[in-house]
Structure formats: C-alpha cells, structure tokens
Amino acid sequence: MDMHEQIGGLANTSVRQLSPYQPGKPIEELQRELGLHEIVKLASNENPLGPSPLGLEAAQHALREAHRYPDGNGFGLKRRLAAHLDVPAESITLGNGSNDVLELVARAFLAPGLEAVYSQYAFAVYPLAVQAAAAQGWVAAARPDYGHDLEAMLALITPNTRLVFIANPNNPTGTFVSGPELRAFLSVVPEQVIVVVDEAYFEYAQSDAYPDCLRWLESFPRLIVTRTFSKAYGLAGLRVGYAVSHPAIADLLNRVRQPFNVGVPALAAAQAALDDREFLDRSRALNRAGMVQLTEGIQALGLDTVPSIGNFLLVGLRRPAAAVYEALLRQGVIVRPVANYGLAEHLRVTVGSAGENQRFLAALRTVLTDV
Ligand SMILES: *Cc1c(COP(=O)(O)O)cnc(C)c1O
C-alpha cells in the first residue's frame, strides 16, 4: 500500500467516500494550459459587471483594519440586513459564503443514523454536506422538466429525517418551485424536519410565482432561508452569505460556527453592497437581456434550453457534452460540465455581458460543426 492509500485509510468512512466539489475552471488555469489570452469564463455564475462598486470601496477601506479580528458577531452587517429584510437581527446567521451556512446546518442537525432529502439535479453541495456529517441522503427523482418534485421529496421523509434541501431556483437547472407549491409542502412536513430553502439567486429571480420565503418564517418556525452576496452583488471572492431562521435555529448554528468565519473586508463590502441599488438594478437588467440573447442564440443552433430564473442556463446538446466542453476550452470559452449531476449531454452556461454571450455563441457554433 502506498502512503496515499495508507493515510487515506485513516479517515472516517464518510470522508473517504467523499468526492470533492468540482469548481468552474479558473481563467488562469486555462491560460497556463493553452497559452490563450482572451478567455471568457461563464462557468461559476459570477456577475459580469464585477463587484458592487460601493462594496469594493468599503472593502478597500476596511483593509486598513486587516490586523484586527473581524467582529465575530457581525453586528453591523446583521443590523443592516435585518432592516433591509425586515426580520429581527437574532434570526440572522452569517457565513463564509452561503455554502458555509449550508454546512453549519448539516453539522447542527445531522449525525450518523439521521437523514436528509434533496432532489435529483439539486445543487451538489447538499450531498457533500450530508455525507461529511456521516448522515444518509435520499435523492427524490426530479420532474420531467428537471424541477424539484416536492411530492416525491415528501414521500422520502422518515422519522429519522432532519433536513430537506430545496434550491429555489435550483442550480444547475434554473428551475424553481412556486409559492403555492412550496407553502403546501411546508404545511405538511412533519415536525422533526427542518426545511432549508436555498435562495442564492433570489435577487435575479423575476417571476410572479416565485415566493419570498422570508415572509413565512413566523408561520413555519422550522424553515431556514439562505442567501448570498456571491451572485447578484458580485462578491463571490470575498465569501459572505447568510441564513434567516427562527432565532432558536440561529442560536444552534452559531454554536457550530467558527468564531470569525467572515473576514473584515467581506463584512464591510456586504454591508455597503446592500445600499448599491443602482448596481443591483443594472445587474438584473443585464441578466434579463443576456438571458434572452443566450436562449435565442442557443435555440437558433437547434439545441434545447431549460427555462431559468437564475443567471445561468442549462443547455441540452443531445450529444455527449464532454467533447463540446473541451472544444469550447480550446476556443477560450469556459462553461460548466454537469455530468456529475447525471446530465452528461448538458452544459451550464452563466449569463455574461452581451460581448461574452456573443463569444460563447460564436464558439459554440464553431465547435458543433466539429464534434
Ligand atoms: C452559488 C450557490 C450557493 C453558494 O454560494 P456562496 O458563494 O457559498 O454563497 C449556494 N447555493 C446555490 C444553489 C448556489 O448556486
């Protein structure tokens, strides 16, 4: 046995069986590999406008305090968020991205012998967080339109279930659960179950049927809503997200949280970005236009798209996606393969600027004639 296997064998069973999250390919990596310069990255649902200018300025200013530990309670950001969301500050838990919050939830409520339920095609972090907690995850088959099937999810709940994860909208499919559907689900979920509604794309979601779950926290005390500054606010690199829940849940999450899980520039940037209405409006408008541009362009190539209310689009290629992904890389365009979701004939593309979308569509047209 080599050293790698020997040491690997020392880890607990759950960790041994984990496969790490596969992030989008970094621009620098493709530059190193192919010596390309003009690279377009539409692989991680990042904001094509860059960071919120108010957020960036606040982060730069805050760096002067980089020798200090951050406020471990995030008082300023929580107070600002509480006013913005019209919820009590005690109901907010801050995280190093909302990914951190999802892991806190798994650590607080799961253990060996306990279970969680999520949908087929749901965000890859849920199974990872469940498995890292050595709990059992159950996958409910998705609907034919790739969306969550809440009835199928309900049917998988047992007395050992502690968590249900609902991505609204879901990544990578862009599908969402409507307000009435979600409310009906919450009202029949058994009492031992916490429901996590992951709203990472809340600020982009524009549909009358899309619910604002925060308004339901008083009726459903076992609901956790997670959101992030990574997507519409353009602060993915700073890592700040949050959960809103009953204060009793926030209290539990705070017990497993690292004392200083959000850094000084991230706290300052997030707080300032909340005031950046102009940036948010611009981001939404650019996304709306880009979504139309991409959808029409992809359909004009004879390919399928799944209707999305996020800032990304699932493209059905009707042929193996791996070769198309690789060929797009050689054209300097990075998108996201989703074979790890069981979608081997799809790619996920982030809505970029008009120019980036154009580059992607042109590259895709070129590539499709060769594969
Ligand atoms: C991007 C994303 C997140 C988390 O992003 P953070 O950067 O950790 O806040 C959470 N859920 C979904 C569905 C996402 O796509």
Side-chain angles (χ1 to χ4, degrees):
M1 228 195 312
D2 72 2
M3 188 55 67
H4 206 91
E5 284 173 37
Q6 260 186 47
I7 291 175
L10 299 176
N12 68 50
T13 320
S14 311
V15 170
R16 239 181 293 152
Q17 290 167 354
L18 275 175
S19 1
Y21 180 80
Q22 296 166 10
K25 193 180 190 68
I27 290 175
E28 293 75 15
E29 193 176 299
L30 188 61
Q31 280 170 339
R32 275 198 305 276
E33 289 172 2
L34 298 181
L36 292 174
H37 283 285
E38 298 287 298
I39 288 173
V40 168
K41 183 188 178 203
L42 299 173
S44 301
N45 301 345
E46 294 150 347
N47 192 324
L49 291 176
S52 142
L54 292 185
L56 178 61
E57 195 191 328
Q60 283 167 336
H61 192 77
L63 278 171
R64 290 178 212 163
E65 292 297 312
H67 62 300
R68 303 275 180 211
Y69 279 98
D71 173 2
N73 289 317
F75 180 83
L77 176 56
K78 280 193 198 173
R79 186 177 55 180
R80 182 67 192 78
L81 266 174
H84 181 74
L85 304 171
D86 191 22
V87 298
E90 312 80 70
S91 65
I92 298 170
T93 307
L94 300 179
N96 196 253
S98 58
N99 203 323
D100 185 28
V101 175
L102 295 170
E103 292 198 12
L104 297 180
V105 171
R107 207 173 324 148
F109 293 101
L110 296 177
L114 297 176
E115 301 169 12
V117 175
Y118 38 83
S119 175
Q120 180 185 20
Y121 312 136
F123 188 45
V125 161
Y126 315 145
L128 289 177
V130 171
Q131 202 179 330
Q136 172 72 52
W138 296 110
V139 184
R143 300 189 315 202
D145 67 359
Y146 301 93
H148 290 16
D149 181 339
L150 294 185
E151 278 182 35
M153 294 176 75
L154 191 65
L156 290 178
I157 292 176
T158 77
N160 295 324
T161 306
R162 291 294 174 277
L163 292 178
V164 172
F165 289 98
I166 296 175
N168 213 33
N170 182 43
N171 167 15
T173 59
T175 53
F176 74 102
V177 176
S178 75
E181 282 176 280
L182 190 48
R183 237 192 122 87
F185 176 81
L186 290 171
S187 59
V188 292
V189 161
E191 283 199 343
Q192 78 281 7
V193 178
I194 304 274
V195 178
V196 182
V197 180
D198 176 349
E199 297 186 340
Y201 302 92
F202 175 84
E203 294 82 3
Y204 282 119
Q206 285 171 332
S207 161
D208 291 341
Y210 180 76
D212 179 358
C213 293
L214 288 186
R215 306 280 74 85
W216 302 345
L217 281 166
E218 289 191 15
S219 335
F220 301 106
R222 283 172 297 272
L223 172 63
I224 302 177
V225 179
T226 63
R227 292 187 187 167
T228 182
F229 288 91
S230 296
K231 307 283 160 62
Y233 289 103
L235 301 177
L238 285 180
R239 313 304 303 130
V240 48
Y242 58 95
V244 189
S245 67
H246 191 283
I249 291 180
D251 178 51
L252 292 169
L253 299 183
N254 267 303
R255 296 184 201 190
V256 286
R257 184 175 66 78
Q258 282 184 47
F260 305 107
N261 62 334
V262 187
V264 168
L267 287 170
Q271 197 174 327
L274 279 176
D275 288 323
D276 210 342
R277 292 293 325 175
E278 193 270 334
F279 178 76
L280 202 59
D281 290 344
R282 230 162 10 104
S283 301
R284 286 195 184 114
L286 187 71
N287 189 59
R288 221 170 15 241
M291 186 65 86
V292 173
Q293 181 191 6
L294 279 181
T295 306
E296 290 179 355
I298 290 163
Q299 290 175 354
L301 294 172
L303 306 176
D304 303 320
T305 54
V306 177
S308 168
I309 62 162
N311 67 338
F312 56 90
L313 196 56
L314 191 63
V315 184
L317 300 165
R318 292 193 240 122
R319 75 201 81 194
V324 177
Y325 168 71
E326 295 292 337
L328 284 171
L329 287 182
R330 290 190 293 273
Q331 300 282 326
V333 176
I334 312 174
V335 296
R336 191 64 157 270
V338 283
N340 56 319
Y341 287 91
L343 295 165
E345 298 198 338
H346 288 76
L347 289 172
R348 192 196 69 194
V349 57
T350 301
V351 177
S353 65
E356 289 171 328
N357 300 334
Q358 194 45 50
R359 268 283 308 275
F360 162 73
L361 290 169
L364 185 59
R365 187 178 312 115
T366 305
V367 156
L368 287 174
T369 57
D370 301 341
V371 296

